[in-house]
Amino acid sequence: MSIEQTRRSLNQLDKEIVVLEKKLADEAKKEADIIKRVNSTQKSITKNISQSVLNLKMGQIQRYQDELVKISSNKSNINKQIAEKKRKRAETAVKLQKEENEEAKKQQKIQSAIYNEYERKINDLTLQLNNQISTIMNNSAVTSGEQEELYDVFISHAWEDKESFVDEFVDALTALKIKV
């Protein structure tokens, strides 16, 4: 099962739990209403009541009590269903977490592979560049017959700036052991 399917299952279980909790609340409301009726009927029984009215009210109380038993049974069944849904939800949440962890590990492996491939390419390119530089250096030494002196910097300037700026600048760079 994919992560999305597991998330949908988890959301569906949450919705089912909400529906069951609403049913449980409705049953509790019915129970409270019936208890109120039983109490009201019991209060209406007085010493001066006739036997036939008393029998009627006792029958009514008995029917209310039968309804209370049914409601109690319904509440018990709903509570069992809620407990079962919550158990399934907990299992599904654990499953989702495992799937997400596995997916994260897969993504990490992919990222590591990409990183390693980039590192390998960089190393290959660096090696190629070093080989090319070495080849160029060897070729230039062979073609000139003798090693040319290499400089660190070249200063291009206007002739008028030579005395006022360039000579001092060259001396400062030379003092820093930079070949000019």
Side-chain angles (χ1 to χ4, degrees):
M1 191 180 281
S2 73
I3 291 175
E4 285 305 312
Q5 289 172 325
T6 305
R7 281 191 184 129
R8 281 193 295 272
S9 295
L10 197 61
N11 289 339
Q12 183 61 36
L13 287 167
D14 285 340
K15 288 176 185 176
E16 291 171 4
I17 289 169
V18 167
V19 168
L20 288 170
E21 287 174 341
K22 183 172 181 338
K23 283 182 181 180
L24 186 62
D26 291 344
E27 290 294 319
K29 184 179 177 194
K30 286 180 193 175
E31 183 180 41
D33 289 343
I34 291 173
I35 290 172
K36 189 188 270 186
R37 289 183 200 159
V38 168
N39 290 337
S40 175
T41 305
Q42 285 177 340
K43 286 181 184 177
S44 70
I45 298 174
T46 62
K47 293 179 188 176
N48 301 333
I49 199 167
S50 68
Q51 187 61 36
S52 63
V53 173
L54 179 63
N55 288 341
L56 239 158
K57 293 201 182 255
M58 292 306 284
Q60 195 175 27
I61 289 172
Q62 184 59 46
R63 283 189 301 277
Y64 288 149
Q65 288 175 339
D66 291 343
E67 282 184 58
L68 285 173
V69 169
K70 286 180 188 176
I71 289 172
S72 179
S73 175
N74 287 346
K75 283 174 54 178
S76 176
N77 288 335
I78 292 170
N79 276 324
K80 285 179 188 176
Q81 290 174 354
I82 289 172
E84 180 61 24
K85 296 289 182 187
K86 285 184 177 181
R87 183 191 61 76
K88 284 182 183 178
R89 189 202 183 285
E91 289 173 357
T92 305
V94 168
K95 182 178 178 182
L96 177 62
Q97 187 176 15
K98 285 180 183 178
E99 289 175 354
E100 288 174 337
N101 287 342
E102 288 174 14
E103 183 64 25
K105 286 178 185 177
K106 286 179 188 176
Q107 290 300 321
Q108 182 62 36
K109 284 182 182 179
I110 291 170
Q111 290 296 326
S112 292
I114 291 170
Y115 177 78
N116 290 336
E117 182 63 20
Y118 283 146
E119 286 294 315
R120 188 189 63 74
K121 285 182 180 181
I122 289 170
N123 289 336
D124 288 347
L125 291 172
T126 303
L127 184 60
Q128 287 176 5
L129 185 60
N130 287 337
N131 287 339
Q132 288 176 355
I133 290 172
S134 178
T135 302
I136 291 169
M137 295 298 284
N138 289 338
N139 287 344
S140 68
V142 168
T143 56
S144 66
E146 58 185 58
Q147 186 78 18
E148 291 182 15
E149 186 175 353
L150 298 177
Y151 296 97
D152 296 320
V153 295
F154 174 80
I155 299 176
S156 176
H157 59 87
W159 185 255
E160 336 34 274
D161 295 334
K162 183 166 179 64
E163 289 181 16
S164 64
F165 172 74
V166 177
D167 287 338
E168 289 178 32
F169 184 55
V170 169
D171 290 341
L173 291 173
T174 306
L176 294 171
K177 299 189 181 187
I178 296 174
K179 291 183 182 180
V180 182

